[in-house]
């Protein structure tokens, strides 16, 4: 009996785990929490350059979580399943609604490399010059003031000072500032899922402390998610040669990069697309995400 692991499986198992001293830390002072959040971000950086991690898919899943948190901040009841339906089952000419617009904003923010133009497309309610002012404000201070999380918290505070009810743009731009400060090409949603609604009313050191704590909690979850997605996408890639459908490779690429996919969105005839999804579910390579018999969505 073979006991050795394939090179692909070995690479997946090498996705590094968060050090226990970070996950168990109970620091209270701003300096101690900042140290722990810096260690967490350094670990996440290692994960984000790991070739076994599906980076686009990871950002999509984190964007869904961030959108769900923002919808909850606004007092609405929609959850992840509702947000998926609002976007992936949207018909031409339909509007996604407030919760769907929040999800669209986060998806747009993580899709392209961070830039003012990309952020403006994700946040059509914000003018590009104003976005540049908010981000340049933290960049001008970068050389002399604070950590990347501190810079992100200043952007969050500045946007909310100018637009007190614009939590979604504020959080997206704060994560963009964090990505820029860390030298990441793409925005990685972290702050929204770790902050509480009451934290958004804080200012100064209180807000910075809340942001550092939010980053620690969110990075722990993001690293776990990255390891899980690495295992799942490795299996999907391994079973792909068994598929006979034409353009199956293009369909696989969609599952490897998108949180959820409707069969109608696959580059296949309708019946062939549904058969492919059923086959991949049978192979344990993807999951049906809705639990419904109709209007199904699939994902890794």
């Amino acid at each position: 009996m073979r006991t050795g692991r394939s090179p692909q499986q070995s690479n997946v198992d090498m996705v590094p785990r968060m050090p226990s001293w970070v996950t168990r830390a109970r620091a209270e002072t701003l300096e101690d929490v900042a140290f722990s959040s810096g260690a967490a971000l350094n670990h996440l950086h290692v994960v984000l350059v790991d070739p076994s991690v599906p980076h686009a898919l990871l950002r999509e899943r984190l964007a869904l979580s961030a959108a769900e948190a923002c919808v909850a901040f606004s007092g609405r009841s929609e959850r992840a399943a509702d947000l998926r339906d609002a976007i992936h089952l949207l018909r031409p000419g339909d509007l996604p609604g407030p919760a769907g617009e929040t999800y669209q904003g986060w998806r747009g923010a993580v899709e392209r490399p961070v830039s003012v133009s990309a952020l403006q497309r994700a946040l059509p309610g914000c003018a590009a010059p104003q976005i540049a002012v908010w981000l340049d404000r933290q960049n001008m201070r970068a050389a002399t003031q604070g950590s990347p999380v501190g810079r992100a918290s200043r952007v969050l505070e500045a946007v909310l000072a100018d637009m007190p009810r614009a939590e979604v743009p504020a959080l997206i731009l704060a994560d963009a500032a964090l990505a820029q400060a860390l030298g990441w090409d793409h925005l990685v949603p972290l702050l929204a899922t770790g902050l509480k609604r009451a934290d958004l009313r804080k200012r100064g050191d209180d807000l910075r402390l809340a942001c550092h704590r939010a980053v620690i909690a969110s990075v722990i979850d993001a690293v776990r998610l990255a390891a899980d997605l690495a295992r799942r996408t490795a299996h999907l890639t391994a079973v792909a040669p068994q598929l006979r459908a034409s353009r199956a490779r293009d369909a696989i690429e969609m599952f490897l990069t998108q949180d959820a996919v409707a069969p109608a969105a696959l580059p296949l005839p309708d019946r062939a697309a549904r058969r492919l999804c059923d086959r991949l579910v049978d192979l344990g390579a993807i999951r049906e995400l809705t639990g419904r018999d109709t209007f199904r969505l699939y994902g890794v």
Side-chain angles (χ1 to χ4, degrees):
M1 182 177 67
R2 293 180 61 189
T3 58
R5 295 176 297 179
S6 69
Q8 183 180 49
Q9 183 63 43
S10 297
N11 289 338
V12 171
D13 290 344
M14 288 173 63
V15 175
R17 295 183 180 182
M18 183 74 69
S20 60
W21 65 266
V22 175
T23 61
R24 296 174 185 172
R26 293 293 182 269
E28 294 297 330
T29 69
L30 179 57
E31 292 78 9
D32 289 343
V33 177
F35 179 80
S36 294
S37 73
L41 287 169
N42 181 69
H43 186 82
L44 180 59
H45 180 81
V46 174
V47 171
L48 292 178
V49 298
D50 189 318
S52 71
V53 175
H55 302 109
L57 178 54
L58 175 64
R59 293 194 302 270
E60 278 245 329
R61 286 280 162 88
L62 293 175
L64 176 63
S65 297
E68 186 178 27
C70 288
V71 168
F73 289 157
S74 69
R76 300 185 65 88
S77 61
E78 290 93 340
R79 294 297 178 258
D82 304 305
L83 297 179
R84 282 175 170 144
D85 284 354
I87 298 303
H88 296 290
L89 301 182
L90 195 67
R91 294 177 296 182
D94 286 351
L95 297 175
E101 288 179 355
T102 295
Y103 186 25
Q104 277 184 330
W106 279 103
R107 291 188 78 209
V110 304
E111 183 180 7
R112 301 177 181 88
V114 176
S115 69
V116 170
S117 60
L119 291 167
Q120 199 279 324
R121 284 194 292 269
L123 300 169
C126 297
Q130 184 60 67
I131 291 173
V133 168
W134 283 320
L135 294 181
D136 286 346
R137 188 179 301 171
Q138 66 90 19
N139 284 335
M140 287 187 294
R141 299 176 181 178
T144 59
Q145 294 189 24
S147 67
V149 176
R151 299 171 208 171
S153 73
R154 283 194 294 272
V155 170
L156 179 60
E157 184 172 352
V159 178
L160 290 175
D162 293 342
M163 302 169 60
R165 307 188 75 173
E167 291 90 354
V168 174
L171 288 162
I172 287 176
L173 291 172
D175 273 328
L178 181 63
Q180 286 183 329
L182 291 166
W184 294 347
D185 291 337
H186 287 79
L187 183 155
V188 179
L190 294 174
L191 289 170
T193 53
L195 289 169
K196 300 180 177 63
R197 186 176 185 179
D199 291 330
L200 299 179
R201 297 192 290 270
K202 296 176 179 177
R203 297 294 181 266
D205 285 349
D206 290 338
L207 179 59
R208 278 192 285 280
L209 182 62
C211 287
H212 281 297
R213 286 176 171 160
V215 163
I216 295 169
S218 296
V219 168
I220 291 170
D221 290 340
V223 170
R224 290 172 181 161
L225 177 60
D228 180 59
L229 291 177
R231 288 189 293 270
R232 292 179 180 276
T233 55
H235 181 54
L236 175 57
T237 302
V239 304
Q242 302 179 36
L243 304 174
R244 298 180 180 178
S246 63
R247 301 201 66 185
R249 185 183 299 273
D250 295 333
I252 292 297
E253 184 62 25
M254 292 180 68
F255 288 117
L256 290 172
T257 57
Q258 298 185 29
D259 163 66
V261 179
L266 294 174
L268 297 166
D270 183 62
R271 183 175 297 179
R274 284 185 274 120
R275 282 201 304 266
L276 175 65
C277 291
D278 289 341
R279 174 64 171 153
L280 288 171
V281 170
D282 290 341
L283 291 169
I286 64 172
R287 298 170 291 161
E288 201 288 308
L289 301 172
T290 70
R292 297 187 296 245
D293 293 330
T294 58
F295 300 106
R296 290 181 161 187
L297 297 173
Y298 297 84
V300 172

